[in-house]
Amino acid sequence: MPALDVAGEFETIERLLRPLAHPEWGRGLQDDVAVLPSRPGHDLVLTKDAIVEGVHFLPDDPLDTVAKKLLRVNLSDLAAKGAEPFGYLLACFWSERCGWPEREAFAAGLAEDQAGFGIFLLGGDTVKTPGPATFSLTALGWVPTGAAVSRAGAQAGDLVFVTGAIGDGLLGLKAARGELSLEPERVAALAAHYRTPTPRVDFADVVRDFATASVDVSDGLAADLAHVAKASRVGVSLNLNVLPLSAAAQAWFADRVDPQLSLEDLASGGDDYEIAFTAHPRHEETLRREAERRLLRLTRIGEVTAGSGLTVTYDGLPIVMARSGWTHG
Amino acid sequence: MPALDVAGEFETIERLLRPLAHPEWGRGLQDDVAVLPSRPGHDLVLTKDAIVEGVHFLPDDPLDTVAKKLLRVNLSDLAAKGAEPFGYLLACFWSERCGWPEREAFAAGLAEDQAGFGIFLLGGDTVKTPGPATFSLTALGWVPTGAAVSRAGAQAGDLVFVTGAIGDGLLGLKAARGELSLEPERVAALAAHYRTPTPRVDFADVVRDFATASVDVSDGLAADLAHVAKASRVGVSLNLNVLPLSAAAQAWFADRVDPQLSLEDLASGGDDYEIAFTAHPRHEETLRREAERRLLRLTRIGEVTAGSGLTVTYDGLPIVMARSGWTHG
């Protein structure tokens, strides 16, 4: 009986990754490449995100959730463009600490999310690194030809919406680090959001049909809306008073001394993986109905103006955000 | 004047990578994603390779050649499948040593090869790592629908060919490490092959039209032919006596005491980035003509049999390769 290449690259591909491969296009991960048939009437949307242990995830984060988060942050990018995901390529740089059980956990996380999101592994590379564990993922999705939503289409008069809640990314990191003094179930909910955020994949078709510009909230709501303002050459306003908070974030917020500064922090924290988008006011009712149908919270947080840049308001007045430096005008 | 985000990710994207972006599909690297139109009548071929400083390249390798090698090893994968490259996504994990000049060198290497191979950057991610410099690249190419060449089509009676020369990968690494005692220009030629191998991109259409199975020589000629034998469920023979050597490799070979063992080393070393393929004997003349037309050496190195696995012969007799353990049968 041949010796097992324990935690070697051959065994990793053969036993852990091959079962995840797309039944046809991934070629059983045996052929150096993936081959995808052209899909008439559709554009291919690609995105690539990279994460490093100690920089983008915590050294004691379980590897199944690291795998899921890596996949989900990429799916979030696709969803914000209106694309439907179907597959991904993966590069794993395993550190010393990534033995066989850690690799199994990583693959198990991928397997669960593949089933949940209906996607498959298409190919990639697996190598060892003397540095921290590092991963890179290229996610692929389809949109009908020409229908991908960019950051650049916002028009003066549009409204600004965001899905779900803002701030759980920032608070989730604090929770995962044990820095929050809240009830245990609140802390657990926030840490879970940090480790396995929910990309708004099932809202992608609504974004595609109605959004004039769209972005996923990864850098921070304020920064991401500023990107939209710049790319669309318009002004965007954000009303901090209506920032949608989760139950856990509300509990945290209730204990703050400076509410304005706290809201600024939540709007700057990033890692939320919600979709922020602009749409014509005539679609507001439809958008609310489509969100409700998906049991998804949708909040109108601002509007698009003929100006330039992001204007953040609190209690009806424009403010200069202390930490991120976003100003009006 | 705003302070320069020296060697920061924003500046890296803005000043170094944006000029490399595909004029349309890369969306100026401003939109999280790349959007590719469907190309009717074509399949998309994708491959992803990853490299780590100190593992896949030497810590003192100049970063312009590191960038080129990363691109070229991926282009080599595409060429062996008969695909025509058009773009790539890139993840850079910059180490401490990657300051602005190193990043400029990396981008300059990419720019030169983009011009040389007619390809563009489509997107990606750039982050810092506390570990060694690490890079991951996803390369994309087109083939006419159904025409991608796999490892699995070799038929008993086919001949086995390889482009260029074998062994310069192994000797090039020794040369780059200063471990070879040859004339300086030989050492320089071998080190150059190690740092910037030449993917056989302009032979891809010939492979596509005539090869029954194909693989690029990255793991080592013997190992890669064994992959073809396994995937095609046939036997493959490799005649070590006709192994094509470069002038520099011939100079090295002339000084060896054990010629058989030396040829085994060259056939096991890998990193050659030639194309090894199988084809029906009736195409031999055409293949030679097409290779000549491209000023490319083409060598018939073996044949496909009804057996299984790789058989390596030397002086007409099957041998067991001492180091890699490839046996006949």
Side-chain angles (χ1 to χ4, degrees), chain A residues 60-316:
Chain A
D60 58 354
D61 281 341
L63 282 188
D64 56 337
T65 66
V66 170
K68 287 183 178 182
K69 182 163 183 176
L70 174 62
L71 200 49
R72 291 171 180 213
V73 302
N74 279 285
L75 296 185
S76 177
D77 277 326
L78 295 183
K81 305 292 114 179
E84 173 202 357
F86 65 88
Y88 64 102
L89 292 97
L90 176 70
C92 300
F93 306 81
W94 307 107
S95 69
E96 291 298 323
R97 81 138 164 147
C98 300
W100 192 252
E102 287 73 22
R103 294 180 186 210
E104 277 184 324
F106 191 89
L110 292 176
E112 278 184 38
D113 268 8
Q114 286 197 188
F117 294 105
I119 58 176
F120 289 95
L121 179 62
L122 294 166
D125 204 0
T126 157
V127 299
K128 288 198 184 70
T129 177
T134 297
F135 303 96
S136 162
L137 193 143
T138 303
L140 294 91
W142 302 115
V143 280
T145 303
V149 183
S150 79
R151 296 178 177 181
Q155 302 279 337
D158 284 351
L159 303 176
V160 182
F161 297 91
V162 72
T163 60
I166 290 298
D168 283 11
L170 177 72
L171 297 178
L173 176 59
K174 289 179 192 285
R177 280 180 176 156
E179 296 170 4
L180 280 191
S181 51
L182 286 176
E183 292 155 49
E185 63 268 32
R186 304 283 193 212
V187 173
L190 289 167
H193 178 280
Y194 163 76
R195 293 214 173 87
T196 49
T198 304
R200 299 307 183 185
V201 171
D202 57 357
F203 202 64
D205 59 331
V206 182
V207 168
R208 192 174 64 222
D209 290 345
F210 298 104
T212 51
S214 175
V215 70
D216 82 318
V217 183
S218 52
D219 293 348
L221 180 62
D224 290 313
L225 287 179
H227 294 324
V228 168
K230 188 182 172 195
S232 298
R233 300 179 187 199
V234 292
V236 169
S237 72
L238 166 63
N239 178 0
L240 277 191
N241 297 78
V242 298
L243 207 65
L245 303 186
S246 68
Q250 278 167 7
W252 172 85
F253 183 69
D255 286 342
R256 295 308 100 190
V257 237
D258 187 336
Q260 179 186 329
L261 194 63
S262 304
L263 291 173
E264 289 180 26
D265 282 348
L266 299 182
S268 315
D271 235 15
D272 291 318
Y273 305 107
E274 298 294 349
I275 302 179
F277 64 97
T278 58
H280 193 278
R282 73 172 172 273
H283 297 310
E284 183 167 7
E285 277 317 299
T286 311
L287 287 166
R288 294 197 179 283
R289 198 173 57 240
E290 294 297 329
E292 259 173 44
R293 186 177 293 175
R294 289 164 178 80
L295 307 176
L296 183 61
R297 187 172 176 182
L298 184 72
T299 309
R300 176 177 159 179
I301 51 171
E303 52 202 35
V304 181
T305 67
S308 72
L310 176 70
T311 304
V312 181
T313 64
Y314 183 76
D315 286 348

Side-chain angles (χ1 to χ4, degrees), chain A residues 32 34 36 44 46-48, chain B residues 31-32 34 36 44 46-48:
Chain A
D32 296 326
L36 261 70
L44 182 73
L46 297 112
T47 184
K48 185 177 175 85
Chain B
D31 209 8
D32 296 326
L36 262 68
L44 183 71
L46 297 112
T47 185
K48 185 176 175 84

